[in-house]
Amino acid sequence: MPTESQSDDFSPVKRTEISESELACAKREYRLLRRLVILALWVGCAVALSLNFTDPDLWGHVTYGQEVIRDGHLHRTATHTFTAEGYPWVNHENIAELTYATIYTWFDDEGLQIFKCLVGLAILGAMAWAAHRQGVRPLTMAAFLLLLANNLTAFFPVRPQVLSFAWCTTLLLTLELAFTGWRAWLVDEPASDESSITPWTPRRLGWLALLPVIMVLWTNSHGAFVAGICITGAYLAGRIVEAIYYQRTKSLGIVAAMVVAGLLVLAATFVNPYGTGLHEWLLLSLGSPRPEITEWAAPKPSDPVFWPLMTLIAVAIASIAFTRQRRDWVQIAILLLVGWQACSHLRHIAFFTLLCGFWVPVHLQSMLLRAKPDTSKLPVTRLGTWSRWGIATALLVAIGLQANTLGNRLERLPVYRHKYPVDAFQWMTFKDLHGRLVVPFNWAQYAIAALSPETTVSFDGRFRTCYPQEVVDKNFDFLLGDNKGYRYRRPEAGPIDPTAVLELGNPDLVLIDRQYNQPIEVMRLESEKPNPAWTLIYQDGLAQLWGRSSIYNDPQSDQYVAPEERLITDTLHVTAFDWPALPVQPTAKVLADRESSQTPNENLQ
């Protein structure tokens, strides 16, 4: 008969009497099926983390990293722009950009996809390891990891944030190692028999020496290191309060060690190429709202991330409410604060997910065991042959299908022609059109990779790291207008002027995303003026390209584009090319014939 500990598992067997040998076989079969379920859940996690969505800033991240490697130094002022020449560039993503540039150079876009998926699995693996040390069972943890992975999906394209999540995980793992068994030591309680945790001693605080190293790497990888400072500060402050409350003067040495660790974490953020300049920029940037950026908006029911987040919040609340494990008030307080931020800003959902991955599983396991009925006195039997093979086959098929999806996602990073101006950039290259380009900020870094150095942009996704607020204001005035009130502009900016960007820096070309009504209307009105300053020279179902009339509509100009050479259609292609989908340079024959050709994209295949 199964023991009480064995009965905690949900055995898929019929309730009839069997012999001891059959019982042993039933247990082996159950272990095999359980391992297949765990494997299926882990492969499902990999699929969730492998979403091959092309981030609009990826072109820039790889390009900037390649340029640093090529030139041998960081660029201190804005590059590839005509509106912010000489303006300081505080790039807080140097390690991420160098990493992605190196991976792409050696392994192409497939390498980028595999890298970010491996980082995601390593993050989940760290959570699973920490949970195992606390006695959480693999099946429970694997199921919870699938929920966590689905909460991370939207935040896991190839972008610097992936390294932020990796450093945050390393930080949480370090805190886990430094304070494992802490509560039992504080109140002189024995450690739980279900845990493999050794008793806490002050020597464990030696793990805190890793925190400044982690923070140096994080500071130079992505600006979310600020979240790491807040989490670390709150965590250490909570532990200090506990130590003083329970141990009084006996804790002075331990408190001093934690204070020193916290100060070193702060000091580590100054180890960057800009010194205090990074912090000055952060204070200025974080002090200004960013309502134009969707990641700073609150999640809505229509967002793909909304229901996974709500599910995770419900699981976390239920687990902590109904657990039989001792609750850690420091962890709960931080979870509440970060959870509040996750409900206020989309970009903080990932950090709430990471915290849940380390601090909720032990309570989830306790809640499930508390809710499970006692089956220890019920007789069991082996599954029938067809049942065993049927379940095993179904699991193997599920694993195979997921593995196939995973393989398809990892082998390519598509750039869809109905989302990015692949055709417009190819036509510009075909016609040798270059110059100062006004372009939507979510296409601008693609434009930099595709058309530089001959073409520079008015504004791009680097945002305030290298653009003054005046440039930000004028570009968003053109793209968004008042955006239904969801705008931040300088107090002295004056009324919204959607045409101001058309004169800022004297641009030559204007590329428009036709999904935005504001710039379409602005350019229509401009074209209806007597002697219009702008002429439509290219259009497809996604984009419009306008050229300054004095350059592209004047027969006396050497860059004149005659009406019969212009390509004006409403065609919208839904196919995709592999990233980076850069324009193909025309061959000598194409160059000779390009004046009459209207099919510039046929060579992009």
Side-chain angles (χ1 to χ4, degrees), residues 264-301:
L264 288 176
V265 166
L266 284 175
T269 65
F270 291 89
V271 183
N272 68 80
Y274 314 99
T276 59
L278 174 61
H279 300 75
E280 293 169 1
W281 171 81
L282 277 172
L283 289 174
L284 177 64
S285 180
L286 295 177
S288 302
R290 307 181 189 187
E292 305 90 351
I293 308 301
T294 56
E295 281 194 346
W296 287 95
K300 308 182 297 295

mmCIF file of all heavy atoms in Angstrom, residues 264-301:
data_model
loop_
_atom_site.group_PDB
_atom_site.id
_atom_site.type_symbol
_atom_site.label_atom_id
_atom_site.label_comp_id
_atom_site.label_asym_id
_atom_site.label_seq_id
_atom_site.Cartn_x
_atom_site.Cartn_y
_atom_site.Cartn_z
ATOM 1 N N LEU A 264 27.593 49.226 -1.907
ATOM 2 C CA LEU A 264 28.413 48.771 -3.029
ATOM 3 C C LEU A 264 27.570 48.564 -4.285
ATOM 4 O O LEU A 264 28.037 48.797 -5.408
ATOM 5 C CB LEU A 264 29.142 47.481 -2.659
ATOM 6 C CG LEU A 264 30.285 47.628 -1.648
ATOM 7 C CD1 LEU A 264 30.853 46.252 -1.283
ATOM 8 C CD2 LEU A 264 31.387 48.519 -2.202
ATOM 9 N N VAL A 265 26.330 48.109 -4.112
ATOM 10 C CA VAL A 265 25.428 47.970 -5.258
ATOM 11 C C VAL A 265 25.180 49.336 -5.898
ATOM 12 O O VAL A 265 25.210 49.482 -7.125
ATOM 13 C CB VAL A 265 24.103 47.312 -4.823
ATOM 14 C CG1 VAL A 265 23.044 47.477 -5.904
ATOM 15 C CG2 VAL A 265 24.323 45.833 -4.527
ATOM 16 N N LEU A 266 24.938 50.346 -5.064
ATOM 17 C CA LEU A 266 24.752 51.699 -5.597
ATOM 18 C C LEU A 266 26.016 52.194 -6.286
ATOM 19 O O LEU A 266 25.958 52.768 -7.380
ATOM 20 C CB LEU A 266 24.356 52.653 -4.469
ATOM 21 C CG LEU A 266 22.920 52.579 -3.967
ATOM 22 C CD1 LEU A 266 22.736 53.500 -2.762
ATOM 23 C CD2 LEU A 266 21.948 52.982 -5.069
ATOM 24 N N ALA A 267 27.153 51.982 -5.644
ATOM 25 C CA ALA A 267 28.419 52.451 -6.224
ATOM 26 C C ALA A 267 28.708 51.770 -7.558
ATOM 27 O O ALA A 267 29.281 52.379 -8.471
ATOM 28 C CB ALA A 267 29.561 52.193 -5.241
ATOM 29 N N ALA A 268 28.283 50.514 -7.680
ATOM 30 C CA ALA A 268 28.557 49.761 -8.910
ATOM 31 C C ALA A 268 27.889 50.402 -10.122
ATOM 32 O O ALA A 268 28.373 50.261 -11.252
ATOM 33 C CB ALA A 268 28.079 48.318 -8.756
ATOM 34 N N THR A 269 26.797 51.112 -9.925
ATOM 35 C CA THR A 269 26.106 51.721 -11.066
ATOM 36 C C THR A 269 26.907 52.872 -11.674
ATOM 37 O O THR A 269 26.610 53.311 -12.785
ATOM 38 C CB THR A 269 24.719 52.238 -10.647
ATOM 39 O OG1 THR A 269 24.857 53.300 -9.688
ATOM 40 C CG2 THR A 269 23.888 51.118 -10.039
ATOM 41 N N PHE A 270 27.904 53.383 -10.949
ATOM 42 C CA PHE A 270 28.744 54.454 -11.490
ATOM 43 C C PHE A 270 29.882 53.899 -12.349
ATOM 44 O O PHE A 270 30.629 54.679 -12.953
ATOM 45 C CB PHE A 270 29.307 55.308 -10.349
ATOM 46 C CG PHE A 270 28.262 56.125 -9.648
ATOM 47 C CD1 PHE A 270 27.578 55.608 -8.564
ATOM 48 C CD2 PHE A 270 27.937 57.400 -10.091
ATOM 49 C CE1 PHE A 270 26.599 56.356 -7.913
ATOM 50 C CE2 PHE A 270 26.961 58.152 -9.453
ATOM 51 C CZ PHE A 270 26.284 57.623 -8.366
ATOM 52 N N VAL A 271 30.008 52.576 -12.394
ATOM 53 C CA VAL A 271 31.037 51.961 -13.244
ATOM 54 C C VAL A 271 30.444 51.804 -14.634
ATOM 55 O O VAL A 271 29.923 50.751 -15.017
ATOM 56 C CB VAL A 271 31.494 50.600 -12.675
ATOM 57 C CG1 VAL A 271 32.608 50.016 -13.538
ATOM 58 C CG2 VAL A 271 31.947 50.751 -11.230
ATOM 59 N N ASN A 272 30.490 52.882 -15.384
ATOM 60 C CA ASN A 272 29.935 52.916 -16.730
ATOM 61 C C ASN A 272 30.688 53.979 -17.524
ATOM 62 O O ASN A 272 31.372 54.824 -16.936
ATOM 63 C CB ASN A 272 28.431 53.200 -16.694
ATOM 64 C CG ASN A 272 28.111 54.597 -16.228
ATOM 65 O OD1 ASN A 272 28.185 55.554 -16.991
ATOM 66 N ND2 ASN A 272 27.758 54.755 -14.942
ATOM 67 N N PRO A 273 30.588 53.990 -18.833
ATOM 68 C CA PRO A 273 31.371 54.948 -19.629
ATOM 69 C C PRO A 273 31.001 56.405 -19.404
ATOM 70 O O PRO A 273 31.750 57.290 -19.827
ATOM 71 C CB PRO A 273 31.054 54.539 -21.077
ATOM 72 C CG PRO A 273 30.571 53.141 -21.000
ATOM 73 C CD PRO A 273 29.875 53.023 -19.684
ATOM 74 N N TYR A 274 29.889 56.674 -18.735
ATOM 75 C CA TYR A 274 29.409 58.050 -18.609
ATOM 76 C C TYR A 274 29.488 58.565 -17.176
ATOM 77 O O TYR A 274 29.158 59.725 -16.931
ATOM 78 C CB TYR A 274 27.961 58.139 -19.110
ATOM 79 C CG TYR A 274 27.777 57.416 -20.423
ATOM 80 C CD1 TYR A 274 27.237 56.118 -20.452
ATOM 81 C CD2 TYR A 274 28.188 57.973 -21.619
ATOM 82 C CE1 TYR A 274 27.095 55.431 -21.643
ATOM 83 C CE2 TYR A 274 28.052 57.285 -22.823
ATOM 84 C CZ TYR A 274 27.510 56.011 -22.828
ATOM 85 O OH TYR A 274 27.380 55.325 -24.006
ATOM 86 N N GLY A 275 29.896 57.705 -16.245
ATOM 87 C CA GLY A 275 30.009 58.125 -14.862
ATOM 88 C C GLY A 275 28.692 58.645 -14.318
ATOM 89 O O GLY A 275 27.642 58.018 -14.465
ATOM 90 N N THR A 276 28.736 59.816 -13.706
ATOM 91 C CA THR A 276 27.519 60.416 -13.159
ATOM 92 C C THR A 276 26.571 60.880 -14.263
ATOM 93 O O THR A 276 25.387 61.129 -13.997
ATOM 94 C CB THR A 276 27.862 61.609 -12.258
ATOM 95 O OG1 THR A 276 28.590 62.592 -13.031
ATOM 96 C CG2 THR A 276 28.714 61.158 -11.071
ATOM 97 N N GLY A 277 27.069 60.994 -15.491
ATOM 98 C CA GLY A 277 26.214 61.421 -16.601
ATOM 99 C C GLY A 277 25.054 60.474 -16.831
ATOM 100 O O GLY A 277 23.965 60.913 -17.230
ATOM 101 N N LEU A 278 25.265 59.186 -16.581
ATOM 102 C CA LEU A 278 24.184 58.216 -16.740
ATOM 103 C C LEU A 278 23.071 58.497 -15.740
ATOM 104 O O LEU A 278 21.887 58.470 -16.080
ATOM 105 C CB LEU A 278 24.710 56.795 -16.553
ATOM 106 C CG LEU A 278 23.666 55.677 -16.552
ATOM 107 C CD1 LEU A 278 22.916 55.637 -17.879
ATOM 108 C CD2 LEU A 278 24.314 54.321 -16.273
ATOM 109 N N HIS A 279 23.434 58.811 -14.506
ATOM 110 C CA HIS A 279 22.440 59.055 -13.476
ATOM 111 C C HIS A 279 21.721 60.383 -13.710
ATOM 112 O O HIS A 279 20.515 60.496 -13.457
ATOM 113 C CB HIS A 279 23.117 59.043 -12.105
ATOM 114 C CG HIS A 279 23.786 57.730 -11.797
ATOM 115 N ND1 HIS A 279 24.984 57.365 -12.379
ATOM 116 C CD2 HIS A 279 23.416 56.703 -10.986
ATOM 117 C CE1 HIS A 279 25.328 56.169 -11.930
ATOM 118 N NE2 HIS A 279 24.401 55.741 -11.097
ATOM 119 N N GLU A 280 22.464 61.380 -14.194
ATOM 120 C CA GLU A 280 21.825 62.654 -14.511
ATOM 121 C C GLU A 280 20.796 62.464 -15.618
ATOM 122 O O GLU A 280 19.698 63.039 -15.568
ATOM 123 C CB GLU A 280 22.889 63.672 -14.922
ATOM 124 C CG GLU A 280 23.822 64.070 -13.783
ATOM 125 C CD GLU A 280 25.018 64.859 -14.278
ATOM 126 O OE1 GLU A 280 25.090 65.113 -15.510
ATOM 127 O OE2 GLU A 280 25.885 65.220 -13.457
ATOM 128 N N TRP A 281 21.164 61.673 -16.629
ATOM 129 C CA TRP A 281 20.217 61.408 -17.710
ATOM 130 C C TRP A 281 19.002 60.639 -17.186
ATOM 131 O O TRP A 281 17.863 60.933 -17.558
ATOM 132 C CB TRP A 281 20.887 60.604 -18.822
ATOM 133 C CG TRP A 281 19.890 60.130 -19.831
ATOM 134 C CD1 TRP A 281 19.361 60.845 -20.862
ATOM 135 C CD2 TRP A 281 19.261 58.839 -19.866
ATOM 136 N NE1 TRP A 281 18.431 60.079 -21.552
ATOM 137 C CE2 TRP A 281 18.357 58.856 -20.965
ATOM 138 C CE3 TRP A 281 19.379 57.688 -19.103
ATOM 139 C CZ2 TRP A 281 17.585 57.744 -21.285
ATOM 140 C CZ3 TRP A 281 18.601 56.596 -19.428
ATOM 141 C CH2 TRP A 281 17.715 56.629 -20.504
ATOM 142 N N LEU A 282 19.230 59.653 -16.313
ATOM 143 C CA LEU A 282 18.122 58.870 -15.768
ATOM 144 C C LEU A 282 17.145 59.751 -15.008
ATOM 145 O O LEU A 282 15.928 59.618 -15.151
ATOM 146 C CB LEU A 282 18.665 57.773 -14.846
ATOM 147 C CG LEU A 282 19.145 56.490 -15.509
ATOM 148 C CD1 LEU A 282 19.830 55.596 -14.487
ATOM 149 C CD2 LEU A 282 17.978 55.750 -16.145
ATOM 150 N N LEU A 283 17.672 60.654 -14.175
ATOM 151 C CA LEU A 283 16.793 61.535 -13.413
ATOM 152 C C LEU A 283 15.955 62.404 -14.344
ATOM 153 O O LEU A 283 14.763 62.611 -14.119
ATOM 154 C CB LEU A 283 17.627 62.414 -12.477
ATOM 155 C CG LEU A 283 18.270 61.706 -11.280
ATOM 156 C CD1 LEU A 283 19.185 62.657 -10.524
ATOM 157 C CD2 LEU A 283 17.202 61.149 -10.345
ATOM 158 N N LEU A 284 16.577 62.887 -15.418
ATOM 159 C CA LEU A 284 15.856 63.717 -16.376
ATOM 160 C C LEU A 284 14.829 62.901 -17.151
ATOM 161 O O LEU A 284 13.681 63.317 -17.327
ATOM 162 C CB LEU A 284 16.837 64.373 -17.343
ATOM 163 C CG LEU A 284 16.221 65.233 -18.454
ATOM 164 C CD1 LEU A 284 15.507 66.435 -17.842
ATOM 165 C CD2 LEU A 284 17.299 65.689 -19.438
ATOM 166 N N SER A 285 15.228 61.691 -17.594
ATOM 167 C CA SER A 285 14.352 60.871 -18.424
ATOM 168 C C SER A 285 13.197 60.289 -17.618
ATOM 169 O O SER A 285 12.034 60.357 -18.034
ATOM 170 C CB SER A 285 15.149 59.742 -19.075
ATOM 171 O OG SER A 285 14.326 58.937 -19.878
ATOM 172 N N LEU A 286 13.503 59.696 -16.460
ATOM 173 C CA LEU A 286 12.450 59.082 -15.657
ATOM 174 C C LEU A 286 11.513 60.120 -15.059
ATOM 175 O O LEU A 286 10.376 59.798 -14.695
ATOM 176 C CB LEU A 286 13.074 58.226 -14.546
ATOM 177 C CG LEU A 286 13.866 57.008 -15.021
ATOM 178 C CD1 LEU A 286 14.481 56.288 -13.835
ATOM 179 C CD2 LEU A 286 12.982 56.060 -15.819
ATOM 180 N N GLY A 287 11.978 61.367 -14.975
ATOM 181 C CA GLY A 287 11.121 62.428 -14.459
ATOM 182 C C GLY A 287 10.138 62.956 -15.478
ATOM 183 O O GLY A 287 9.275 63.769 -15.143
ATOM 184 N N SER A 288 10.272 62.497 -16.735
ATOM 185 C CA SER A 288 9.363 62.935 -17.798
ATOM 186 C C SER A 288 8.499 61.757 -18.227
ATOM 187 O O SER A 288 9.022 60.686 -18.534
ATOM 188 C CB SER A 288 10.161 63.452 -19.001
ATOM 189 O OG SER A 288 11.014 64.517 -18.620
ATOM 190 N N PRO A 289 7.196 61.916 -18.268
ATOM 191 C CA PRO A 289 6.312 60.809 -18.683
ATOM 192 C C PRO A 289 6.577 60.382 -20.120
ATOM 193 O O PRO A 289 7.141 61.137 -20.913
ATOM 194 C CB PRO A 289 4.913 61.415 -18.524
ATOM 195 C CG PRO A 289 5.082 62.605 -17.649
ATOM 196 C CD PRO A 289 6.456 63.127 -17.905
ATOM 197 N N ARG A 290 6.120 59.170 -20.459
ATOM 198 C CA ARG A 290 6.275 58.656 -21.821
ATOM 199 C C ARG A 290 4.948 58.049 -22.308
ATOM 200 O O ARG A 290 4.882 56.868 -22.650
ATOM 201 C CB ARG A 290 7.368 57.584 -21.873
ATOM 202 C CG ARG A 290 8.694 58.028 -21.293
ATOM 203 C CD ARG A 290 9.727 56.944 -21.393
ATOM 204 N NE ARG A 290 10.929 57.275 -20.655
ATOM 205 C CZ ARG A 290 12.052 56.557 -20.676
ATOM 206 N NH1 ARG A 290 12.092 55.458 -21.394
ATOM 207 N NH2 ARG A 290 13.097 56.912 -19.982
ATOM 208 N N PRO A 291 3.886 58.831 -22.339
ATOM 209 C CA PRO A 291 2.595 58.256 -22.726
ATOM 210 C C PRO A 291 2.558 57.790 -24.174
ATOM 211 O O PRO A 291 1.680 57.004 -24.544
ATOM 212 C CB PRO A 291 1.621 59.413 -22.479
ATOM 213 C CG PRO A 291 2.457 60.648 -22.577
ATOM 214 C CD PRO A 291 3.790 60.261 -22.020
ATOM 215 N N GLU A 292 3.493 58.258 -25.005
ATOM 216 C CA GLU A 292 3.509 57.839 -26.405
ATOM 217 C C GLU A 292 3.998 56.404 -26.575
ATOM 218 O O GLU A 292 3.742 55.771 -27.598
ATOM 219 C CB GLU A 292 4.415 58.767 -27.234
ATOM 220 C CG GLU A 292 4.070 60.237 -27.130
ATOM 221 C CD GLU A 292 4.806 60.947 -25.993
ATOM 222 O OE1 GLU A 292 5.461 60.260 -25.184
ATOM 223 O OE2 GLU A 292 4.717 62.178 -25.903
ATOM 224 N N ILE A 293 4.727 55.893 -25.586
ATOM 225 C CA ILE A 293 5.310 54.551 -25.656
ATOM 226 C C ILE A 293 4.349 53.569 -25.002
ATOM 227 O O ILE A 293 4.048 53.671 -23.806
ATOM 228 C CB ILE A 293 6.688 54.499 -24.962
ATOM 229 C CG1 ILE A 293 7.600 55.601 -25.507
ATOM 230 C CG2 ILE A 293 7.309 53.131 -25.150
ATOM 231 C CD1 ILE A 293 7.844 55.519 -27.004
ATOM 232 N N THR A 294 3.863 52.599 -25.778
ATOM 233 C CA THR A 294 2.813 51.705 -25.286
ATOM 234 C C THR A 294 3.261 50.860 -24.099
ATOM 235 O O THR A 294 2.432 50.473 -23.271
ATOM 236 C CB THR A 294 2.342 50.771 -26.413
ATOM 237 O OG1 THR A 294 3.466 50.055 -26.949
ATOM 238 C CG2 THR A 294 1.686 51.570 -27.530
ATOM 239 N N GLU A 295 4.550 50.559 -23.981
ATOM 240 C CA GLU A 295 5.016 49.723 -22.873
ATOM 241 C C GLU A 295 4.852 50.405 -21.522
ATOM 242 O O GLU A 295 4.913 49.751 -20.491
ATOM 243 C CB GLU A 295 6.481 49.328 -23.078
ATOM 244 C CG GLU A 295 6.672 48.197 -24.059
ATOM 245 C CD GLU A 295 8.064 47.620 -23.989
ATOM 246 O OE1 GLU A 295 8.952 48.266 -23.374
ATOM 247 O OE2 GLU A 295 8.286 46.538 -24.546
ATOM 248 N N TRP A 296 4.665 51.728 -21.539
ATOM 249 C CA TRP A 296 4.463 52.440 -20.283
ATOM 250 C C TRP A 296 2.982 52.578 -19.946
ATOM 251 O O TRP A 296 2.625 53.191 -18.937
ATOM 252 C CB TRP A 296 5.144 53.810 -20.337
ATOM 253 C CG TRP A 296 6.626 53.707 -20.251
ATOM 254 C CD1 TRP A 296 7.506 53.667 -21.286
ATOM 255 C CD2 TRP A 296 7.419 53.605 -19.061
ATOM 256 N NE1 TRP A 296 8.803 53.550 -20.830
ATOM 257 C CE2 TRP A 296 8.773 53.507 -19.460
ATOM 258 C CE3 TRP A 296 7.123 53.575 -17.700
ATOM 259 C CZ2 TRP A 296 9.817 53.394 -18.549
ATOM 260 C CZ3 TRP A 296 8.166 53.464 -16.792
ATOM 261 C CH2 TRP A 296 9.491 53.372 -17.210
ATOM 262 N N ALA A 297 2.122 52.018 -20.789
ATOM 263 C CA ALA A 297 0.683 52.063 -20.518
ATOM 264 C C ALA A 297 0.286 50.900 -19.606
ATOM 265 O O ALA A 297 1.018 49.913 -19.461
ATOM 266 C CB ALA A 297 -0.102 51.998 -21.824
ATOM 267 N N ALA A 298 -0.880 50.998 -18.999
ATOM 268 C CA ALA A 298 -1.403 49.909 -18.167
ATOM 269 C C ALA A 298 -1.961 48.803 -19.057
ATOM 270 O O ALA A 298 -2.468 49.077 -20.147
ATOM 271 C CB ALA A 298 -2.490 50.440 -17.246
ATOM 272 N N PRO A 299 -1.842 47.547 -18.649
ATOM 273 C CA PRO A 299 -2.401 46.453 -19.456
ATOM 274 C C PRO A 299 -3.918 46.536 -19.529
ATOM 275 O O PRO A 299 -4.581 46.888 -18.552
ATOM 276 C CB PRO A 299 -1.940 45.188 -18.710
ATOM 277 C CG PRO A 299 -1.630 45.640 -17.318
ATOM 278 C CD PRO A 299 -1.170 47.054 -17.438
ATOM 279 N N LYS A 300 -4.450 46.208 -20.716
ATOM 280 C CA LYS A 300 -5.893 46.226 -20.956
ATOM 281 C C LYS A 300 -6.361 44.818 -21.317
ATOM 282 O O LYS A 300 -5.548 43.992 -21.771
ATOM 283 C CB LYS A 300 -6.242 47.185 -22.095
ATOM 284 C CG LYS A 300 -5.680 48.590 -21.944
ATOM 285 C CD LYS A 300 -6.114 49.480 -23.095
ATOM 286 C CE LYS A 300 -5.585 48.995 -24.437
ATOM 287 N NZ LYS A 300 -4.136 49.058 -24.560
ATOM 288 N N PRO A 301 -7.645 44.518 -21.134
ATOM 289 C CA PRO A 301 -8.137 43.171 -21.479
ATOM 290 C C PRO A 301 -7.858 42.775 -22.918
ATOM 291 O O PRO A 301 -7.754 41.587 -23.222
ATOM 292 C CB PRO A 301 -9.645 43.268 -21.203
ATOM 293 C CG PRO A 301 -9.760 44.319 -20.143
ATOM 294 C CD PRO A 301 -8.691 45.322 -20.462
#
